[in-house]
Amino acid sequence: GYQSIAVANGNKLDKFSYTLSAGKEKSDGFRTNSDQDKTIAGAKLGYELTQDSSLEMSADYLEKQIGVPGSLKYPSPLAREWDRNSGASLTYRTKFSKELDLRLNAYENRDTIIYKDSDPVFPQDSKHVGTTTGAEAQTNWMVNSWNQLSFGVEAKEDHLTSTDAGEHTASLQSAYLQDEISIGEPLIVVIGGRNDSHSVYGDKFSPRASARYLVAGTGTIIRASAGEAFRAPTFNDLYWSDS
């Protein structure tokens, strides 16, 4: 019982560009109370301020109602879940010269999860609203024909309001630097590092390095990389109510 329909349209009119999309998806599922009804919509609008700078705004929305069948041993034929996810961002790009460019971005994402189970013995009713707000900046500088530096900073805040877990807030500030070096024609080496400062888990530095070598004559490319990364637990990781 799966059905899906989607429409999209995009165009560029002089300095203005747009992309619009929408879709609907339904499924009966393969178990009792495993159906799904999902609606999505998105829009992206762009405008060329000058020959070397542009502004872009995007927004996305998803709404989903699903049955939550539970496990085979402990089914929940009356449990339902409603998800609403929305996001919006504004991006500014500019080129100061052929060698130097800048990108600025601000965004907000909001996720709402409502869960209801009208089971007469163990009824449940919960609502979780998570919001992430942030901004980032990145610049790329072509120092010379064989060396490009990239530098970026980011700051974001996560907030959770939950009927089960209460209110929680966490913030993250990050900075990263990357150097891409071309050693002759066949070898490219990338060295970088990122520092994350989390309001709960403190500071963490993550180095990373990679290399790409082109074997002349055969066209074979050999790649190797090594690095570390930091990801704090999400609020769902920490506080999701699951008995």
Side-chain angles (χ1 to χ4, degrees), residues 24-239:
K24 183 80 171 176
E25 189 175 297
K26 298 183 72 173
S27 172
D28 294 339
F30 63 95
R31 289 179 55 197
T32 300
N33 194 36
S34 64
D35 59 296
Q36 172 182 275
D37 188 345
K38 181 170 69 174
T39 303
I40 60 173
K44 184 181 291 186
L45 308 175
Y47 186 75
E48 293 182 3
L49 300 171
T50 67
Q51 186 176 352
D52 297 318
S53 63
S54 65
L55 198 62
E56 183 179 276
M57 181 179 67
S58 65
D60 296 285
Y61 180 78
L62 180 149
E63 186 175 89
K64 181 168 60 175
Q65 180 182 164
I66 58 175
V68 185
S71 67
L72 293 174
K73 188 175 181 180
Y74 301 105
S76 52
L78 301 177
R80 307 292 294 176
E81 182 177 311
W82 293 263
D83 296 350
R84 288 196 298 270
N85 305 331
S86 60
S89 67
L90 184 64
T91 304
Y92 172 75
R93 292 182 175 88
T94 187
K95 276 190 173 183
F96 300 108
S97 65
K98 289 183 178 180
E99 296 80 19
L100 186 64
D101 62 65
L102 173 69
R103 180 179 66 88
L104 303 175
N105 177 248
Y107 58 90
E108 180 174 281
N109 300 314
R110 185 181 181 90
D111 299 330
T112 302
I113 301 175
I114 300 172
Y115 177 83
K116 292 183 179 181
D117 188 353
S118 55
D119 184 277
V121 181
F122 298 108
Q124 294 186 56
D125 190 344
S126 63
K127 182 178 181 180
H128 315 269
V129 180
T131 305
T132 299
T133 305
E136 56 184 328
Q138 179 179 317
T139 182
N140 301 299
W141 178 31
M142 185 67 72
V143 181
N144 48 51
S145 60
W146 53 270
N147 188 11
Q148 176 175 289
L149 283 173
S150 298
F151 173 74
V153 293
E154 179 182 8
K156 70 174 184 176
E157 182 177 273
D158 296 318
H159 183 79
L160 172 70
T161 301
S162 169
T163 55
D164 294 337
E167 288 205 31
H168 301 274
T169 301
S171 60
L172 178 71
Q173 289 84 39
S174 307
Y176 58 88
L177 177 66
Q178 176 179 286
D179 193 4
E180 181 177 316
I181 305 169
S182 299
I183 304 175
E185 191 70 26
L187 181 61
I188 297 176
V189 177
V190 180
I191 302 172
R194 178 185 176 100
N195 189 77
D196 293 287
S197 181
H198 196 275
S199 59
V200 178
Y201 301 103
D203 291 304
K204 174 65 177 177
F205 179 74
S206 304
R208 180 165 296 187
S210 65
R212 190 220 71 168
Y213 184 78
L214 173 64
V215 181
T218 66
T220 302
I221 295 177
I222 302 172
R223 291 185 175 92
S225 62
E228 295 180 354
F230 169 79
R231 184 188 75 84
T234 67
F235 285 143
N236 276 348
D237 292 336
L238 293 173
Y239 306 116

